[in-house]
């Protein structure tokens, strides 16, 4: 007689399916933090004399700076184009764009902001680090160039250093405007 064999082995989710499912961590209600003091986490890095930070969702890749191909008659803050994974990506030098100090670091990196067609590369001077802060760390700032003021948000002081929130959507819009105007 033919019978149906019962499978008594435990069923496990495939590793790929488990990783794609993601993780959800819920905080207990008793640990709720008031909105005004909600902690922020950002990715911080240096560009010239500026400490900049972006949200983790804004940075998509970090690489050693590949060969950059300069375009004729382009502004000095537009470093040129790189071939990254078979796609051309524009690369910008933010200290030159903002009119601040250009770093003399020997080892620079390429930080990719955004994804797909909206991705741009910026040259950074060090490996990014994790920054934690809350609203009590926000400090007033002034003295930024007009372009810097248009793309930088809040300034926060962490361990004696001021970090500016770089706003990638505003940066992309401003870069498009400047390149379109031939500045």
């Amino acid at each position: 007689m033919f019978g149906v064999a019962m499978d008594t082995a435990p069923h496990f989710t495939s590793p790929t399916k488990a990783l794609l499912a993601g993780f959800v961590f819920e905080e207990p209600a008793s640990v709720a933090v008031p909105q005004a003091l909600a902690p922020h986490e950002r990715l911080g890095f240096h560009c010239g004399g500026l400490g900049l930070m972006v949200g983790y969702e804004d940075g998509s890749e970090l690489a050693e700076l590949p060969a950059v191909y300069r375009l004729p008659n382009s502004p000095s803050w537009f470093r040129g184009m790189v071939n990254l994974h078979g796609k051309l990506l524009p690369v910008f030098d933010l200290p030159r764009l903002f009119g601040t100090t250009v770093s003399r670091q020997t080892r620079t990196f390429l930080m990719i902001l955004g994804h797909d067609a909206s991705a741009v590369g910026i040259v950074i001077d060090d490996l990014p680090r994790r920054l934690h802060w809350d609203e009590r760390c926000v400090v007033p700032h002034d003295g930024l160039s007009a372009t810097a003021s248009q793309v930088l948000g809040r300034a926060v002081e962490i361990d004696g250093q001021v970090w500016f929130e770089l706003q990638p959507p505003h940066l992309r819009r401003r870069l498009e405007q400047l390149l379109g105007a031939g500045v």
Side-chain angles (χ1 to χ4, degrees):
M1 252 204 168
F2 294 99
V4 177
M6 297 298 288
D7 185 6
T8 57
H11 292 281
F12 295 102
T13 303
S14 74
T16 303
K17 188 174 180 181
L19 287 173
L20 292 175
F23 300 96
V24 177
F25 298 102
E26 294 183 20
E27 271 196 48
S30 63
V31 191
V33 178
Q35 186 59 30
L37 299 179
H40 299 280
E41 222 180 85
R42 298 287 188 273
L43 202 55
F45 51 89
H46 290 98
C47 272
L50 287 176
L52 301 177
M53 58 183 174
V54 294
Y56 283 95
E57 66 280 0
D58 293 322
S60 63
E61 188 173 344
L62 178 69
E64 291 208 27
L65 189 62
V68 180
Y69 298 95
R70 191 132 172 81
L71 299 178
N73 302 317
S74 60
S76 64
W77 46 263
F78 180 40
R79 293 279 296 256
M81 302 294 285
V82 297
N83 180 345
L84 194 65
H85 311 300
K87 295 180 182 176
L88 289 178
L89 181 76
V91 177
F92 300 94
D93 188 331
L94 295 186
R96 289 187 193 277
L97 177 67
F98 297 158
T100 61
T101 306
V102 177
S103 177
R104 303 283 185 232
Q105 295 287 341
T106 56
R107 186 170 182 195
T108 54
F109 296 91
L110 180 65
M111 167 79 76
I112 311 304
L113 300 175
H115 305 276
D116 302 322
S118 69
V120 297
I122 60 172
V123 178
I124 65 173
D125 299 334
D126 57 4
L127 290 172
R129 67 193 77 175
R130 183 177 293 166
L131 300 174
H132 300 277
W133 56 277
D134 63 37
E135 297 303 317
R136 294 176 292 194
C137 298
V138 174
V139 295
H141 62 82
D142 56 359
L144 296 174
S145 70
T147 299
S149 295
Q150 292 172 345
V151 301
L152 299 178
R154 294 178 286 196
V156 299
E157 187 173 338
I158 303 169
D159 297 328
Q161 181 174 351
V162 176
W163 298 86
F164 293 91
E165 276 190 307
L166 178 61
Q167 301 171 325
H170 297 303
L171 175 64
R172 282 188 287 276
R173 260 193 308 279
R174 186 66 182 139
L175 291 169
E176 288 172 4
Q177 290 169 347
L178 291 170
L179 288 172
V183 174

